[in-house]
Amino acid sequence: MGVRSGSGGQVLTLDTLVRVGRGLRAPGTPYKLAVPEGMTVPLGCDAVGVPASLGRQLVSRLPRVGCVYADATHWWWLVPADSDYALEWPPPAQYATGAVVPDAPVVPSLVRRGTGTLPYTPPIPLYLVLCRLTGTTPNWSRPVSSAG
């Protein structure tokens, strides 16, 4: 099945229309956050991003902060890989597997380097502070229903 464009022009198939549609709303370039030189990631590396307005609040409330990256719209924390296991990061947080930041307008810059050789922000304190700031109840504090 095809659709003819204009009078006697090219035939547009459904595949072509889908590709054109995807191209119109193509996301920004994904960027991998680079671990600073001299640091190691023995546990792998993922990232948690939040809007910049929340980022400033988070930094001031965390007991320990690892590497933090920022662009004009988001702040990103490096966390050990699989820090999303059994955790539902509250909106508007974004979880980026492999520390590959989706839809970034530019490569986020390192704004804070962690101390020592590990770039990680501990994920549980980050999660708890983020829950508090967003008014979200942590997963393990929510009522459990026996209804299936």
Side-chain angles (χ1 to χ4, degrees):
M1 178 178 146
V3 175
R4 214 169 266 291
S5 66
S7 58
Q10 175 184 3
V11 174
L12 300 175
T13 65
L14 185 56
D15 288 340
T16 303
L17 293 172
V18 168
R19 275 196 306 274
V20 168
R22 285 183 183 149
L24 292 175
R25 59 180 195 280
T29 304
Y31 296 107
K32 182 165 177 59
L33 299 176
V35 175
E37 192 170 323
M39 293 189 142
T40 61
V41 287
L43 302 175
C45 199
D46 290 344
V48 175
V50 298
S53 58
L54 273 178
R56 291 176 190 84
Q57 294 176 55
L58 276 168
V59 166
S60 66
R61 290 185 166 108
L62 287 169
R64 196 173 110 226
V65 178
C67 292
V68 181
Y69 299 78
D71 59 33
T73 59
H74 287 86
W75 284 36
W76 296 91
W77 278 259
L78 293 185
V79 294
D82 300 325
S83 292
D84 61 336
Y85 181 76
L87 284 181
E88 289 178 35
W89 289 87
Q94 297 179 47
Y95 193 84
T97 303
V100 176
V101 178
D103 302 335
V106 296
V107 178
S109 302
L110 181 67
V111 293
R112 184 174 183 114
R113 180 187 167 106
T115 58
T117 60
L118 299 176
Y120 307 125
T121 294
I124 298 300
L126 178 61
Y127 173 79
L128 290 172
V129 172
L130 188 55
C131 283
R132 180 179 274 288
L133 288 175
T134 60
T136 304
T137 303
N139 285 11
W140 54 80
S141 297
R142 294 181 189 151
V144 178
S145 171
S146 61

